[in-house]
Short mmCIF file of all heavy atoms in Angstrom, two decimals:
data_model
loop_
_atom_site.label_atom_id
_atom_site.label_comp_id
_atom_site.label_asym_id
_atom_site.label_seq_id
_atom_site.Cartn_x
_atom_site.Cartn_y
_atom_site.Cartn_z
N ARG S 52 6.12 7.16 14.39
CA ARG S 52 5.73 7.24 15.80
C ARG S 52 5.68 5.87 16.44
O ARG S 52 6.03 5.69 17.60
CB ARG S 52 4.38 7.94 15.91
CG ARG S 52 3.95 8.17 17.35
CD ARG S 52 2.64 8.94 17.38
NE ARG S 52 2.21 9.15 18.77
CZ ARG S 52 1.09 9.76 19.10
NH1 ARG S 52 0.28 10.23 18.16
NH2 ARG S 52 0.76 9.91 20.36
N SER S 53 5.21 4.86 15.67
CA SER S 53 5.10 3.51 16.23
C SER S 53 6.46 2.89 16.49
O SER S 53 6.57 1.95 17.26
CB SER S 53 4.30 2.61 15.27
OG SER S 53 5.03 2.38 14.08
N HIS S 54 7.51 3.41 15.84
CA HIS S 54 8.85 2.86 16.02
C HIS S 54 9.61 3.61 17.11
O HIS S 54 10.80 3.36 17.30
CB HIS S 54 9.64 2.92 14.71
CG HIS S 54 9.22 1.89 13.72
ND1 HIS S 54 9.78 0.63 13.66
CD2 HIS S 54 8.26 1.90 12.76
CE1 HIS S 54 9.21 -0.08 12.70
NE2 HIS S 54 8.29 0.67 12.13
N ALA S 55 8.95 4.51 17.81
CA ALA S 55 9.58 5.28 18.88
C ALA S 55 8.97 4.88 20.22
O ALA S 55 7.77 4.63 20.32
CB ALA S 55 9.41 6.77 18.64
N ALA S 56 9.82 4.81 21.23
CA ALA S 56 9.32 4.48 22.56
C ALA S 56 8.44 5.63 23.06
O ALA S 56 8.70 6.80 22.79
CB ALA S 56 10.49 4.26 23.52
N ARG S 57 7.38 5.28 23.78
CA ARG S 57 6.48 6.29 24.30
C ARG S 57 7.16 7.06 25.43
O ARG S 57 7.98 6.53 26.16
CB ARG S 57 5.20 5.64 24.81
CG ARG S 57 4.51 4.77 23.76
CD ARG S 57 3.20 4.23 24.26
NE ARG S 57 2.62 3.30 23.30
CZ ARG S 57 1.40 2.79 23.38
NH1 ARG S 57 0.62 3.12 24.41
NH2 ARG S 57 0.94 1.95 22.47
N VAL S 58 6.77 8.31 25.56
CA VAL S 58 7.32 9.16 26.62
C VAL S 58 6.30 9.22 27.75
O VAL S 58 5.14 9.58 27.55
CB VAL S 58 7.60 10.59 26.09
CG1 VAL S 58 8.12 11.47 27.22
CG2 VAL S 58 8.60 10.54 24.94
N LEU S 59 6.74 8.83 28.95
CA LEU S 59 5.88 8.86 30.13
C LEU S 59 6.38 9.91 31.11
O LEU S 59 7.56 10.26 31.10
CB LEU S 59 5.85 7.49 30.81
CG LEU S 59 5.33 6.32 29.95
CD1 LEU S 59 5.40 5.02 30.73
CD2 LEU S 59 3.90 6.58 29.48
N ALA S 60 5.46 10.39 31.94
CA ALA S 60 5.81 11.47 32.88
C ALA S 60 5.06 11.28 34.19
O ALA S 60 4.22 10.38 34.33
CB ALA S 60 5.49 12.83 32.26
N ASP S 61 5.36 12.13 35.15
CA ASP S 61 4.77 12.04 36.48
C ASP S 61 3.24 11.97 36.44
O ASP S 61 2.62 11.17 37.13
CB ASP S 61 5.17 13.26 37.33
CG ASP S 61 6.61 13.17 37.82
OD1 ASP S 61 7.16 12.05 37.84
OD2 ASP S 61 7.18 14.21 38.19
N GLY S 62 2.65 12.82 35.62
CA GLY S 62 1.20 12.98 35.66
C GLY S 62 0.38 11.82 35.12
O GLY S 62 -0.79 11.69 35.49
N PHE S 63 0.97 10.97 34.25
CA PHE S 63 0.16 9.92 33.63
C PHE S 63 0.87 8.57 33.51
O PHE S 63 0.42 7.70 32.78
CB PHE S 63 -0.32 10.37 32.24
CG PHE S 63 0.79 10.82 31.33
CD1 PHE S 63 1.47 9.93 30.52
CD2 PHE S 63 1.15 12.16 31.28
CE1 PHE S 63 2.48 10.35 29.67
CE2 PHE S 63 2.17 12.60 30.44
CZ PHE S 63 2.83 11.69 29.63
N PHE S 64 1.97 8.39 34.23
CA PHE S 64 2.68 7.11 34.17
C PHE S 64 1.76 5.96 34.60
O PHE S 64 1.64 4.95 33.89
CB PHE S 64 3.91 7.16 35.07
CG PHE S 64 4.70 5.87 35.09
CD1 PHE S 64 5.75 5.67 34.21
CD2 PHE S 64 4.40 4.84 35.99
CE1 PHE S 64 6.48 4.49 34.23
CE2 PHE S 64 5.12 3.66 36.00
CZ PHE S 64 6.17 3.48 35.12
N GLU S 65 1.13 6.10 35.75
CA GLU S 65 0.28 5.01 36.26
C GLU S 65 -0.95 4.80 35.40
O GLU S 65 -1.41 3.68 35.21
CB GLU S 65 -0.11 5.30 37.71
CG GLU S 65 -0.80 4.13 38.41
CD GLU S 65 0.10 2.89 38.50
OE1 GLU S 65 1.33 3.04 38.59
OE2 GLU S 65 -0.44 1.77 38.48
N HIS S 66 -1.50 5.89 34.87
CA HIS S 66 -2.69 5.78 34.03
C HIS S 66 -2.38 4.97 32.77
O HIS S 66 -3.22 4.16 32.32
CB HIS S 66 -3.19 7.17 33.65
CG HIS S 66 -4.34 7.15 32.68
ND1 HIS S 66 -5.61 6.76 33.05
CD2 HIS S 66 -4.40 7.45 31.34
CE1 HIS S 66 -6.41 6.84 32.00
NE2 HIS S 66 -5.70 7.24 30.95
N LYS S 67 -1.21 5.16 32.20
CA LYS S 67 -0.85 4.45 30.97
C LYS S 67 -0.44 3.01 31.24
O LYS S 67 -0.86 2.09 30.54
CB LYS S 67 0.30 5.20 30.26
CG LYS S 67 -0.11 6.52 29.64
CD LYS S 67 -0.99 6.30 28.42
CE LYS S 67 -1.27 7.61 27.71
NZ LYS S 67 -2.16 7.44 26.54
N THR S 68 0.41 2.81 32.23
CA THR S 68 0.98 1.47 32.46
C THR S 68 0.16 0.62 33.42
O THR S 68 0.17 -0.60 33.33
CB THR S 68 2.39 1.59 33.02
OG1 THR S 68 2.34 2.20 34.33
CG2 THR S 68 3.27 2.45 32.12
#
Side-chain angles (χ1 to χ4, degrees):
R52 185 177 179 182
S53 68
H54 285 270
R57 305 184 186 189
V58 178
L59 300 178
D61 284 341
F63 54 88
F64 179 92
E65 190 61 32
H66 175 73
K67 289 290 186 181
T68 65

